[in-house]
Amino acid sequence: MADLPDSDTAGTPVGELLYVIASLREHCPWMGALTHASLVEYLLEEAFEVAETIEAGHPDGELRGELGDVLLQVVLHARIAEERGSFTFDDVARGLSAKMIRRNPHVFRPDGSLQDSFPATLDEIVQKWDAVKRAERPERQDPFVGIPLALPALARAQKSMDRAARAGVPPAQPPVKAGPVASEDELGELLLAVVCSAHASGYDAERALRGAVRRYQEHVTGQRQQE
């Protein structure tokens, strides 16, 4: 039988969700066959659907549903881990709470209680966050460690520039190019220069391109409908 939620979540919407997923894992062959690896494609897909819902300005009801789909991925991964005796959903939640407290000393004391005042500026918050991360993993000297290789190229480039800037590395100098592109390597350098310019201006290159593609698709679809 599927495990009932423990005392921390019993009788709550989260507790009901955990019970439903545990039951599906036990009694639904398709759900029961899922693994961490087989869920990766769904996790990525659901995350991008949330981004699209937000950026396209879809109704809140749609956003609520998409967030539920992302939560489903988290609950499934936690349930699979619990079945092999590794960790539970509660462990994930407790670990996240502890990390947020530890990495935000401008808001929390070490025991989790609130500070008496909150004077930190945005720059100070970033500096403290980075300092705590460095203290947690002092062996990490490479500022790019932890940036997922699977990130879309523009997002990975922008994240790399952000990490480099926070590590005190001078910004990259975009190449000046006139005329046609001669190779893919040269094209890559030009795209990197675009991301560098976006980063310097405070823009998100990945989000900007998603928006441009969405507007292009809407334009083409509108033209075809008028024919």
Side-chain angles (χ1 to χ4, degrees):
M1 292 292 294
D3 296 335
L4 291 172
D6 61 25
S7 57
D8 291 342
T9 56
T12 68
V14 171
E16 181 180 359
L17 174 61
L18 296 178
Y19 174 73
V20 167
I21 298 306
S23 299
L24 286 170
R25 284 284 296 172
E26 182 175 349
H27 301 293
C28 173
W30 188 87
M31 278 282 198
L34 292 172
T35 65
H36 290 304
S38 68
L39 280 168
V40 168
E41 63 174 296
Y42 301 109
L43 177 60
L44 295 174
E45 179 182 341
E46 300 301 352
F48 279 114
E49 287 185 3
V50 169
E52 181 178 341
T53 298
I54 294 170
E55 293 172 2
H58 292 170
D60 284 348
E62 189 170 337
L63 176 59
R64 182 185 64 225
E66 296 296 349
L67 290 173
D69 291 340
V70 173
L71 178 59
L72 170 61
Q73 301 303 308
V74 176
V75 173
L76 275 169
H77 279 288
R79 179 62 194 180
I80 291 169
E82 182 176 357
E83 290 168 0
R84 66 171 189 271
S86 180
F87 59 83
T88 68
F89 179 85
D90 281 355
D91 294 328
V92 174
R94 292 189 190 102
L96 178 58
S97 293
K99 182 167 74 172
M100 290 297 98
I101 290 170
R102 185 173 65 249
R103 292 191 178 178
N104 291 280
H106 59 289
V107 175
F108 299 103
R109 299 187 181 96
D111 64 358
S113 60
L114 291 175
Q115 298 282 5
D116 294 327
S117 60
F118 313 100
T121 65
L122 290 178
D123 286 341
E124 290 172 338
I125 291 170
V126 171
Q127 291 173 6
K128 288 183 179 181
W129 178 278
D130 288 342
V132 172
K133 288 183 66 175
R134 287 194 298 271
E136 291 174 353
R137 302 293 296 273
E139 75 280 5
R140 283 189 174 183
Q141 299 299 318
D142 185 343
F144 306 123
V145 169
I147 299 178
L149 297 178
L151 273 180
L154 288 181
R156 189 177 172 209
Q158 185 133 348
K159 178 66 72 173
S160 297
M161 290 181 182
D162 182 58
R163 290 282 190 89
R166 287 160 69 168
V169 178
Q173 296 299 317
V176 177
K177 170 66 180 177
V181 175
S183 68
E184 280 198 357
D185 284 348
E186 189 173 296
L187 176 60
E189 293 300 323
L190 288 173
L191 290 172
L192 187 62
V194 170
V195 177
C196 180
S197 177
H199 180 266
S201 300
Y203 297 131
D204 185 317
E206 183 74 25
R207 183 171 62 232
L209 183 57
R210 285 199 302 268
V213 171
R214 184 167 56 249
R215 291 189 296 273
Y216 168 74
Q217 291 175 339
E218 291 170 351
H219 173 71
V220 171
T221 299
Q223 282 189 325
R224 290 177 62 85
Q225 290 175 345
Q226 292 174 6
E227 292 177 355

